[in-house]
Amino acid sequence: MSTIGLLAAVAMFALINVVAGMFPTTFTGDAQLAIWLVALVVAIASYVTTEQAMAGVRR
């Protein structure tokens, strides 16, 4: 686990929630859960992608 990978995951999670907060509507219930799950999947994907890229740089 690298700090850069975790930073990328947290940044993507926060960015998705910030962008969703800019919409002129209130997300409640299932919509909020869907946004949270999408943000979680994107955060995991960005972590994996960053770790793979860093593994290539370390070699």
Side-chain angles (χ1 to χ4, degrees), residues 16-31:
I16 289 176
N17 282 299
V18 166
V19 170
M22 290 181 185
F23 291 118
T25 185
T26 302
F27 294 106
T28 58
D30 290 341

Side-chain angles (χ1 to χ4, degrees), residues 25-46:
T25 185
T26 302
F27 294 106
T28 58
D30 290 341
Q32 182 63 39
L33 178 63
I35 290 171
W36 190 83
L37 289 175
V38 167
L40 186 62
V41 168
V42 170
I44 291 170
S46 67

Side-chain angles (χ1 to χ4, degrees), residues 52-59:
Q52 287 176 344
M54 291 300 293
V57 170
R58 290 182 193 129
R59 289 184 178 197

